[in-house]
Amino acid sequence: MVKFAAAPLAHAMCRPHLTGASHVPRSGPAILAANHLSVLDSFLLPALLPRHVTFTAKNEYFDGNPVSGFFMRLGGSLPIDRESARAAQGMLDDAAALLERGELFGIHPEGTRSPDGRLYRGKVGVAWLTLKTGAPVLPVALSGTERVLPPGTSVPRPARIGIAIGAPMRFDGDHTKARDRRRVTDEIMAAIRKLSGQEYVPAYASSLKAAANGTP
């Protein structure tokens, strides 16, 4: 029912150009690791793929804006409190269980929207998941999604978007070791950068936003 409602809406609103869809397995687990330009990224990507993809999204996407909240629920996204370390680990545990059931899970390794269109350093949750479960990672580059619902607006507007999905990536390493998690995350971000063509910033987007807001 969600696909029936969401897919035509996404196509009509965004006229998407999708490449690499053949990399998405017809069955079995995979992690879609995407860059993050818009609050609607977690709706648009699942809406345009043939299989269901479960994304997580911060609580504010559900409660702060009724439009984004509608799209998040329509797309089947799960809310998460990003300020709670316990909630973050709980989300990863739930995602691992989902992958072990053979489902698709979507994640934005940057952890928050890019403030300026550049690609920022990835957080290591994505590496923890692939090393823990053995599920392959599909790097995903989104483009143009920030024009559909620009920051500070509440009404979506038509804008063409692009989605490029890369070949599956598999990794060796120990999910309990910080060095392995960092190495794998950096490799995933490099693959996303290659697909997107974005300038890379070796810092967390959340730190830049906090500095801009005067948060210590």
Side-chain angles (χ1 to χ4, degrees):
M1 291 177 64
V2 168
K3 283 289 186 186
F4 181 79
L9 180 59
H11 277 279
M13 188 169 58
C14 301
R15 297 175 292 126
H17 178 65
L18 174 62
T19 61
S22 61
H23 292 310
V24 179
R26 294 186 178 182
S27 62
I31 302 164
L32 283 84
N35 59 339
H36 198 9
L37 300 172
S38 167
V39 299
L40 293 185
D41 290 341
S42 303
F43 160 76
L44 291 169
L45 182 57
L48 295 167
L49 294 179
R51 287 183 62 189
H52 178 69
V53 185
T54 299
F55 260 90
T56 58
K58 64 178 182 178
N59 286 336
E60 290 88 341
Y61 286 0
F62 290 83
D63 303 329
N65 184 317
V67 175
S68 64
F70 167 78
F71 281 108
M72 292 301 102
R73 293 181 178 89
L74 183 64
S77 297
L78 303 176
I80 181 174
D81 179 3
R82 293 189 314 179
E83 303 303 318
S84 168
R86 180 176 296 179
Q89 185 58 53
M91 179 274 289
L92 290 174
D93 291 337
D94 289 344
L98 183 149
L99 291 165
E100 288 165 357
R101 294 196 300 269
E103 300 181 37
L104 298 180
F105 180 73
I107 188 169
H108 297 295
E110 291 168 279
T112 188
R113 279 178 297 162
S114 170
D116 52 19
R118 296 184 294 176
L119 184 69
Y120 283 78
R121 193 182 197 205
K123 297 190 175 182
V124 298
V126 64
W128 187 94
L129 278 175
T130 186
L131 293 175
K132 170 76 172 176
T133 66
V137 175
L138 307 181
V140 179
L142 299 163
S143 60
T145 58
E146 73 280 10
R147 296 194 296 268
V148 179
L149 190 66
T153 65
S154 59
V155 179
R157 60 191 66 178
R160 186 156 197 195
I161 69 168
I163 300 174
I165 303 173
M169 304 174 71
R170 294 185 179 274
F171 302 95
D172 295 321
D174 186 338
H175 74 283
T176 66
K177 293 184 177 179
R179 180 176 296 179
D180 285 347
R181 295 195 301 269
R182 184 73 263 161
R183 170 181 55 82
V184 168
T185 301
D186 289 344
E187 289 182 29
I188 293 169
M189 299 310 294
I192 295 173
R193 179 189 182 187
K194 185 176 180 179
L195 284 171
S196 71
Q198 292 169 279
E199 179 185 347
Y200 180 72
V201 181
Y204 294 120
S206 55
S207 298
L208 185 71
K209 289 182 176 180
N213 292 330
T215 304

